[in-house]
Amino acid sequence: MGRVENKVAIVTGAASGLGFAAAQKLMSEGAKVMLSDINQEILETMPERLSNFSNTQFSTYTHDVTKEDDWIDIIDKTEQEFGKIKILVNSAGISLGSDIVSTDFEIWKKVHEVNLDSVFLGCKYAIPKLNDAGSGSIINISSISGIVAGHNFSAYNSAKAGVRHLSKSVALHCARTTDLVRCNSIHPVFTRTEILKGLFDMNPDADIEGKLIKQIPIRRLGEPIDIAYAALFLASDESSMITGTELVIDGGLSAQ
């Protein structure tokens, strides 16, 4: 039996990066996954990209995570297709903005809308369904930037720190009001995703990769699979005593 055999999951931001890696890992351990993303074009490639999984093991939903109606709809469609939801992975996010003075207010609002408001909406509408299923796990992808600040990531720092503390509030609420619904956050260090690659490509002569690696004691960037394994653990019954905490995957950066 797989570690999440026959459990039903929703994974946001699942078309690429950390969300795609988490969805793959959950499916490899027996879960049925609704892959959510705003990028419909990439979602349409999923049957080919996930050809090693059966068509009954996953489905896709074009999802604007900032829209309340979309959340209500995806939860209903997931239950209609797969049954009661047991896992929610809030992975959708963007990285925009700079220091506090340089960041436009519209960018500030957009970063919080996508990175934080979406987590609020996902938790709000998923918790009753997870409770109906008898138990469940909410896994919110934050960032090491939600714990360790940077001078040029004001909006991102703020939103990801909000995800960290919101996850604790959600966990305490669930402990009081549900049977076995848990909530935790994951805090990855700089990880090889399309977002980070885009940053490298925009500044090919700046050796951004080398500068980031120098900040990490174990001297390498994170890989999406590192975070996927963490999400799998928190989704599984192996972590049934873990709620309201943060799992830091930072190669020792925050230990310095």
Side-chain angles (χ1 to χ4, degrees):
M1 295 289 286
R3 293 165 68 184
V4 286
E5 191 75 23
N6 292 321
K7 291 189 177 185
V8 177
I10 296 174
V11 181
T12 71
S16 60
L18 304 185
F20 183 64
Q24 281 187 297
K25 183 50 62 179
L26 290 171
M27 285 189 286
S28 74
E29 292 289 342
K32 299 176 181 180
V33 180
M34 180 66 77
L35 295 97
S36 140
D37 204 280
I38 199 169
N39 193 323
Q40 182 177 356
E41 185 177 349
I42 299 180
L43 284 179
E44 289 173 353
T45 70
M46 285 302 169
E48 180 181 353
R49 295 171 69 194
L50 297 172
S51 58
N52 52 324
F53 298 103
S54 74
N55 290 336
T56 60
Q57 204 169 355
F58 71 91
S59 188
T60 63
Y61 182 88
T62 306
H63 184 194
D64 183 341
V65 293
T66 70
K67 303 299 184 186
E68 197 166 6
D69 288 346
D70 274 18
W71 272 108
I72 295 169
D73 194 42
I74 190 176
I75 287 170
D76 287 345
K77 280 184 165 55
T78 301
E79 289 201 323
Q80 290 169 15
E81 188 154 353
F82 295 127
K84 292 184 176 181
I85 300 165
K86 301 277 279 186
I87 302 163
L88 169 63
V89 182
N90 280 309
S91 183
I94 57 174
S95 180
L96 296 171
S98 183
D99 63 80
I100 188 66
V101 174
S102 303
T103 298
D104 183 83
F105 188 37
E106 292 304 313
I107 294 294
W108 170 272
K109 289 188 287 187
K110 184 66 174 178
V111 170
H112 283 79
E113 188 179 31
V114 176
N115 291 0
L116 180 56
D117 294 357
S118 69
V119 176
F120 161 77
L121 290 170
C123 293
K124 174 180 174 64
Y125 287 106
I127 287 168
K129 300 297 185 178
L130 296 171
N131 196 36
D132 286 347
S135 65
S137 178
I138 298 172
I139 302 148
N140 296 326
I141 307 298
S142 179
S143 168
I144 192 61
S145 296
I147 298 174
V148 179
H151 74 280
N152 58 343
F153 286 102
S154 57
Y156 191 74
N157 284 155
S158 173
K160 290 300 188 179
V163 171
R164 176 177 181 252
H165 228 57
L166 174 61
S167 299
K168 293 178 182 296
S169 178
V170 169
L172 294 174
H173 167 78
C174 289
R176 288 171 175 263
T177 62
T178 71
D179 291 332
L180 295 168
V181 178
R182 301 177 292 110
C183 181
N184 296 283
S185 56
I186 296 177
H187 298 259
V189 76
F190 323 113
T191 303
R192 289 189 190 279
T193 62
E194 288 79 358
I195 291 175
L196 198 61
K197 183 179 183 300
L199 183 63
F200 295 163
D201 292 344
M202 286 172 56
N203 303 274
D205 300 324
D207 190 25
I208 294 175
E209 180 174 355
K211 291 174 182 176
L212 293 180
I213 289 173
K214 285 181 181 178
Q215 299 180 50
I216 304 172
I218 66 169
R219 301 180 304 283
R220 74 169 178 88
L221 297 179
E223 300 290 343
I225 191 63
D226 297 323
I227 288 74
Y229 275 118
L232 172 63
F233 170 65
L234 291 174
S236 75
D237 294 338
E238 299 158 16
S239 59
S240 62
M241 192 61 179
I242 300 174
T243 194
T245 192
E246 57 277 326
L247 181 49
V248 179
I249 307 173
D250 70 349
L253 187 151
S254 61
Q256 301 176 98

